[in-house]
Amino acid sequence: MRLFAGHAAVGSWWLVVVLMAAVPGLAQSRANAARELSNAFSSAAKAAMPAVVSIKVEKTVQANQVSGYGSLNDPFGQFGDDFLRRFFGGELPRRQSPQNYTQQGQGSGFIISEDGYILTNNHVVGDVDKISVELKDGRTFDDAKLVGTDPDSEVALIKIAGHGFPVLPLGDSKSIQIGDWVIAIGNPFGLSETVTVGVISAVGRSNMHIATYEDFIQTDAAINPGNSGGPLIDLDGKVIGINTAIVSQSGGYMGIGFAIPINMAKAIAEQLKSSGKVSRGYLGLGAQDVESDMAQPLGMSEPAGIAVNQIEPGSPADKAGLKVRDVILEINGEKVASFDVFRNEVASLRPGTTVRLRILRDGKSENLGVTLGERPIMAEAKEPSARESGQEIGLEVQNVTKDLAEQFGYAPGQGVIVASVAPGGPAAQEGIQPGDLIVSVDRQNVASVEEFSAAVRGARKNDKVLFLVRRGDASHFVVVKFG
């Protein structure tokens, strides 16, 4: 035991010596790694800055129309009285109230071609009277031209006259990953050439109510009013997004910012450059993600794809033979992850493009080719909403009479109308309301109370029932459990 202990003591002593010798080397290695990362930030920012521009805008408005902060980093909301008091102190002279007021604002942008095309946000330049652009080298252009804007995506393209401008290379936003380092460059609060660093917090953010078509990159790199339209770049100095919006209760940075993926922006910029507007592919259908409780009623073993809940008569979807209750699993060989992703994919394609859809209809897989139309202005299918019926599910229904059809905008034979909903019942919990129209029960169209009752009775063995419910012009699938 002593011999073993002695050897152990000697071994421990040598281990201490080795560790003591290794610690300085380990610390030095970590310091070198930190310096390399710091150098990467510095190099990328230094290379990008000459192509990042400050954009100043002016708009003549009535005195009572001056705007304030918004989620889109309102370019006119940066220099209000509170801002001036905070930085300069004292009381400000009272303004007169003229008939018209020249409002000034500021944002950012970046040059994407040597002949002066600049990408920025629609909310920075989309509704203004004058656009001025200032480069890092001090050159100022007071007559920048608005080439085109796309409010549906929040992308805008402007141009300054000249040649040989510094250009910021565009990257590939599809290759980014959560956790990647990113750099935001812009002019927050008028502080030019400001660089902030963070990571990609999330990708594919939608339903933010910022734009019609959303696929945002979320980052914690500090973004503030004035950053709008500026680039979000990777460590190679390539643009992966356009800084667009923040989530904030104060109007300033709170750790959540959103950027438009550069792949989306590139496609839009090309159309704006060639025609001054954006034409989008159009199918003419409404759909929703297939949730776990919808899979079995739709004839699926597990949830996947999106369920069609609405077809516009005469639309490309209608002409191609798509039907309500079809489940779209793939588009052009790619799995459909969600309705938002599917909708963005269709909208990114030019009218006249033929897409290949793999669908599930009545439990059987089919392939369909659909030639896209052009999305009419304001003709996009509305977000569906609505709910259900039966005593065990807490509601009563009645046939659609002529009077009810005129009152609610339906037609006799289209379904049954919800007459009442039991408070707190299964139907009420799922959002069903009086006046909703139940079109089908477990994939069976119902045109009368009798057909509805028979279909509900047949669904009891599954302990739940799938309804297709219509409210106004919108339709929605709803799963209701029997009470």
Side-chain angles (χ1 to χ4, degrees):
M1 289 293 293
R2 289 178 183 174
L3 182 62
F4 178 80
H7 280 291
V10 172
S12 299
W13 182 81
W14 277 107
L15 179 61
V16 171
V17 171
V18 170
L19 287 174
M20 290 177 64
V23 166
L26 182 60
Q28 186 62 44
S29 175
R30 289 176 175 173
N32 290 338
R35 288 191 189 94
E36 288 179 9
L37 181 59
S38 178
N39 289 337
F41 291 144
S42 298
S43 297
K46 184 177 180 180
M49 277 185 178
V52 180
V53 302
S54 172
I55 298 175
K56 296 181 180 179
V57 295
E58 292 183 3
K59 179 182 179 181
T60 301
V61 298
Q62 292 182 356
N64 61 356
Q65 291 180 336
V66 179
S67 58
Y69 281 115
S71 63
L72 287 173
N73 297 347
D74 183 357
F76 296 115
Q78 304 170 44
F79 303 115
D81 291 354
D82 289 342
F83 176 89
L84 295 174
R85 285 195 183 94
R86 188 162 63 250
F87 281 87
F88 297 101
E91 287 298 317
L92 298 173
R94 291 184 177 273
R95 289 185 181 137
Q96 299 297 317
S97 298
Q99 290 296 318
N100 293 318
Y101 180 91
T102 300
Q103 201 173 22
Q104 297 179 333
Q106 183 164 321
S108 306
F110 53 97
I111 304 172
I112 60 172
S113 69
E114 292 185 351
D115 56 347
Y117 282 94
I118 297 169
L119 271 176
T120 184
N121 281 146
N122 165 71
H123 71 267
V124 173
V125 298
D127 184 24
V128 299
D129 300 324
K130 181 181 178 181
I131 305 171
S132 300
V133 172
E134 183 177 353
L135 274 62
K136 183 178 184 295
D137 61 15
R139 283 181 288 174
T140 300
F141 299 81
D142 291 326
D143 55 352
K145 175 186 175 184
L146 179 63
V147 178
T149 68
D150 181 40
D152 285 339
S153 67
E154 264 303 312
V155 174
L157 187 68
I158 63 176
K159 189 180 186 304
I160 53 178
H163 293 277
F165 292 109
V167 174
L168 197 50
L170 306 183
D172 178 9
S173 52
K174 275 195 173 182
S175 66
I176 63 176
Q177 299 181 62
I178 295 173
D180 285 351
W181 285 106
V182 288
I183 304 169
I185 307 177
N187 307 283
F189 298 108
L191 304 173
S192 61
E193 302 169 25
T194 295
V195 173
T196 56
V197 170
V199 298
I200 294 174
S201 306
V203 296
R205 289 293 194 208
S206 59
N207 293 316
M208 305 305 301
H209 308 294
I210 295 168
T212 303
Y213 295 97
E214 300 181 333
D215 186 27
F216 289 113
I217 300 167
Q218 181 182 327
T219 180
D220 66 351
I223 296 174
N224 283 291
N227 273 116
S228 285
L232 187 69
I233 66 175
D234 60 20
L235 293 188
D236 294 322
K238 295 181 178 180
V239 184
I240 60 165
I242 303 176
N243 300 321
T244 299
I246 58 175
V247 171
S248 175
Q249 296 177 342
S250 64
Y253 171 69
M254 292 186 70
I256 301 177
F258 300 103
I260 300 166
I262 197 61
N263 290 17
M264 176 188 285
K266 279 190 288 189
I268 292 167
E270 289 171 3
Q271 290 198 54
L272 292 176
K273 185 176 179 180
S274 62
S275 64
K277 65 175 186 176
V278 177
S279 297
R280 288 186 165 87
Y282 178 66
L283 272 175
L285 60 78
Q288 65 191 89
D289 299 349
V290 175
E291 305 291 348
S292 57
D293 58 355
M294 292 169 55
Q296 184 181 2
L298 287 169
M300 306 171 67
S301 58
E302 59 183 8
I306 57 175
V308 177
N309 57 30
Q310 191 170 340
I311 298 286
E312 182 183 331
S315 66
D318 187 29
K319 293 175 181 177
L322 277 164
K323 299 178 180 180
V324 171
R325 291 185 292 275
D326 284 345
V327 177
I328 301 175
L329 301 173
E330 294 181 2
I331 177 171
N332 291 334
E334 297 287 333
K335 290 184 178 180
V336 175
S338 68
F339 180 54
D340 287 330
V341 172
F342 176 81
R343 188 165 166 266
N344 287 345
E345 177 67 21
V346 170
S348 70
L349 300 172
R350 296 290 184 97
T353 302
T354 298
V355 296
R356 294 177 291 107
L357 302 180
R358 186 167 75 87
I359 68 170
L360 191 69
R361 177 178 294 169
D362 298 326
K364 297 178 181 178
S365 178
E366 297 184 23
N367 293 307
L368 284 179
V370 187
T371 300
L372 301 179
E374 181 173 358
R375 175 185 177 242
I377 297 176
M378 299 304 291
E380 191 70 22
K382 296 179 181 178
E383 283 297 317
S385 62
R387 303 329 178 193
E388 344 10 272
S389 14
Q391 273 192 353
E392 294 150 296
I393 49 180
L395 55 74
E396 293 182 359
V397 299
Q398 65 184 86
N399 292 326
V400 180
T401 64
K402 183 179 178 181
D403 290 341
L404 288 174
E406 291 178 356
Q407 180 182 350
F408 292 100
Y410 306 134
Q414 284 186 328
V416 292
I417 200 162
V418 177
S420 64
V421 179
Q429 291 175 14
E430 296 302 326
I432 302 266
Q433 298 178 12
D436 287 344
L437 185 76
I438 297 179
V439 177
S440 71
V441 179
D442 273 357
R443 296 181 287 172
Q444 300 177 46
N445 289 339
V446 292
S448 66
V449 172
E450 291 74 18
E451 291 181 2
F452 170 83
S453 298
V456 169
R457 283 196 301 270
R460 285 181 186 141
K461 60 181 180 294
N462 298 319
D463 295 325
K464 58 187 176 182
V465 59
L466 176 70
F467 291 110
L468 177 60
V469 184
R470 178 178 165 189
R471 180 179 298 161
D473 293 329
S475 300
H476 197 62
F477 285 112
V478 177
V479 175
V480 180
K481 294 181 180 180
F482 286 93

